[in-house]
Amino acid sequence: MSEPQSKMLAALNLRERPPRPSAPQAVLTFIWRSWRKTSGNAAYLAIDSIIFPAVFLLIFTYLFGGAISGSTGNYLQYLLPGMMVYTVTTMTVYIGINLKTDIERGVFNRFRTLPLWQPAAIIGTMAINLVSFAVGLITTLGLGMLLGFRPEAGWSGVLLSMLLVMLYAFSFSWIFACLGLTVRKTESLTTMSYLVLYPLMFTSNVFADTSTMPDWLGPVVAYNPVSLASASARALIHGTAGTAAMTTTLISLGCIIAVFMPLAFQLYRKKSK
Amino acid sequence: MKQEAAVDVRGLRKAYGKEDVLKGLDLRVEQGTVYGVLGPNGAGKTTLIGILSTLLAPDSGSVRIFGLDVVRDADAVRRRIGLTGQFAAVDEGMSGRDNLVLFGRLAGYSAKTAKVRAEQLLDAFGLTDAAGRSAGKYSGGMRRRLDIAAAMLVAPDLLFLDEPTTGLDPRSRSEVWDIVRALVDHGTTVVLTTQYLEEADQLADRVAVIGGGSVIAEGTPAELKASIGSGSIQIRLADPKQRGEAEQVLRRVLRTEARLHANPAELSAQVSDPRQAALALTELSEAGIYTHQYSLGEPSLDEVFLTLTGRSARAETLKEENQ
Ligand SMILES: Nc1ncnc2c1ncn2[C@@H]1O[C@H](COP(=O)(O)OP(=O)(O)O)[C@@H](O)[C@H]1O
Ligand SMILES: [Mg+2]
């Protein structure tokens, strides 16, 4: 028998069949996968979660701050929590792009023929996205503090508002996960993110108080989840949070998750190329 | 007790929108055999493999793998099969090694065992030197080998190979054949699709030819050949201009259509009896047609295939005309 063939037989001869991976095992493996891929692309991670947030924070603070709020210092106190929301909002589309890319590639077929708990693939990708959200938030906050931002509720306020913004980004990501599993072309996702996210952000209180916006925009502004999130982040970081407003925000985000997370799992399971 | 079939398909139908691809297909593959599915491009081979490997849902019909239903028991089916699709199912964003570790872990190996298995397979498939490189940068042959290695991490009971050698150079092709033979020695049942008749002839115990959405012929390669005549005669003419005349002579003597080859001086025809072939040659020379060379042999699967698809196309036309 030829040399390569005997090696092949040796490699095949393992008759043992490992047990089906448990759901947590499968999730951990997919987290490892996303991590390997992301760390192989460290430059992109740095651009998305460090450079962009820093550049936008500087632009808004120094270029528009004076015009919007009279002074840069005052404006930063208002803007920074909104900037945290802005930073992660632009990143929520990634999960959709990640999932769509996987589906378009052949590797999806292999995942589908393995005896796995299928949602593990989505959760693993989502977990790494949460890490990039956290990096983006820490960059924004750290730079903000260097520029003179002072969290009035201290570190506990900082922590709570970061958690809230993470939860918000997590819930929005599920919407894009569903879109990523339904659109025909990856480009549609990018287009959609411009058409949906930017109007939402600019009709929110991220950059400015909404009281000066035209009246007809009232309902849009009031029910805008971006507004809810940034108002709550602001309230938590400055210690002015009211129970009612917080409850509304948490319930809204909870509803988004309750609808879109199971839907994403379902869409993924049903998805065929 | 009769052994459970590895694959048992009855009345399988699948359409994409209005396009019917499989129209009531039946197939049975016994355990421990290599089964070849032959068909031209667009015949529905990939669709069939997709359904057998739980990737696609059938519209109707029953599809069982080792007695398990591919829709209801998809998970149990997935535990026993491996798939190497027409397009390599590897993660192009990761190295070859990381790919195998990933799929090993997803198959249920511990982190440590997954690494050991990855190295074993990289070595067996001649990929150790390229192990650290991104799979996206692999050549077609390397990607295919990585793909088969991934399907072999846990030796499956049943392996599907969808056009495993399409687009490979002859050397990689024979490597893939060696792998398939090694697998079969090991006890794996293999279902492979191919457009290369030689490949089915080389590897398969039984062959199904699909066309028009169902199986148009089934049997061992030898049975298939026998079913359309015991042999064929190949003729090279001295003067290509006489090929039309020669075709008519063969048709008259052998009562079958002659096949014209790419070489303008060559043609061939099925013969059921060698004595008839001799007669045909005599008639040719009497008609003043000179042959440079002739040979009598078993029909190639290529000819089997053309005859069968031609026959089924004629049957279809007849059916339509009768309607
Ligand atoms: N996802 C799909 N959507 C629509 N039509 C498809 C799809 N996949 C395959 N087809 C069509 O089904 C037919 C069979 O395709 P396929 O199974 O890939 O054949 P083969 O593998 O034998 O070349 C082709 O006509 C192809 O165009
Ligand atoms: Mg195909």
Side-chain angles (χ1 to χ4, degrees), chain B residues 45-46 86 162-163:
Chain B
K45 300 181 297 295
T46 299
Q86 187 169 358
D162 192 6
E163 301 201 18

Side-chain angles (χ1 to χ4, degrees), chain A residues 5-37:
Chain A
Q5 191 162 344
S6 63
K7 265 188 191 170
M8 214 130 52
L9 279 178
L12 302 177
N13 251 338
L14 265 176
R15 209 49 191 133
E16 120 196 65
R17 181 162 291 131
R20 174 186 199 265
S22 67
Q25 248 175 322
V27 170
L28 280 176
T29 306
F30 275 104
I31 292 178
W32 172 82
R33 167 181 185 248
S34 304
W35 173 248
R36 289 295 271 201
K37 289 169 83 97

Side-chain angles (χ1 to χ4, degrees), chain B residues 2-7 28-35 189 206:
Chain B
K2 194 158 185 280
Q3 210 182 20
E4 194 103 57
V7 176
R28 187 180 164 95
V29 178
E30 299 301 336
Q31 291 190 24
T33 62
V34 181
Y35 200 95
T189 308
R206 290 186 82 79

Side-chain angles (χ1 to χ4, degrees), chain A residues 7-9 11-14 17-21 29-30 33 36-37 106 109-110 112-116 272, chain B residues 53 55 75 78-79 83 89-92 98 103 105-108 117 123 147 152 155 157 179 182-183 186:
Chain A
K7 265 188 191 170
M8 214 130 52
L9 279 178
L12 302 177
N13 251 338
L14 265 176
R17 181 162 291 131
R20 174 186 199 265
T29 306
F30 275 104
R33 167 181 185 248
R36 289 295 271 201
K37 289 169 83 97
N109 278 348
R110 188 167 302 287
R112 293 319 284 278
T113 51
L114 290 169
L116 293 173
S272 58
Chain B
S53 59
L55 288 175
D75 240 30
R78 288 173 184 157
R79 298 219 53 201
L83 169 69
V90 298
D91 193 335
E92 283 158 22
D98 278 355
F103 296 130
R105 299 231 49 197
L106 293 179
R117 288 295 284 138
D123 185 32
D147 200 32
M152 296 314 307
D157 294 325
I179 295 171
L183 287 173
H186 173 73

Side-chain angles (χ1 to χ4, degrees), chain B residues 19-21 39-45 47 163 195 212-213:
Chain B
E19 191 192 349
D20 284 323
V21 178
N41 233 330
K45 300 181 297 295
T47 305
E163 301 201 18
Q195 296 185 47

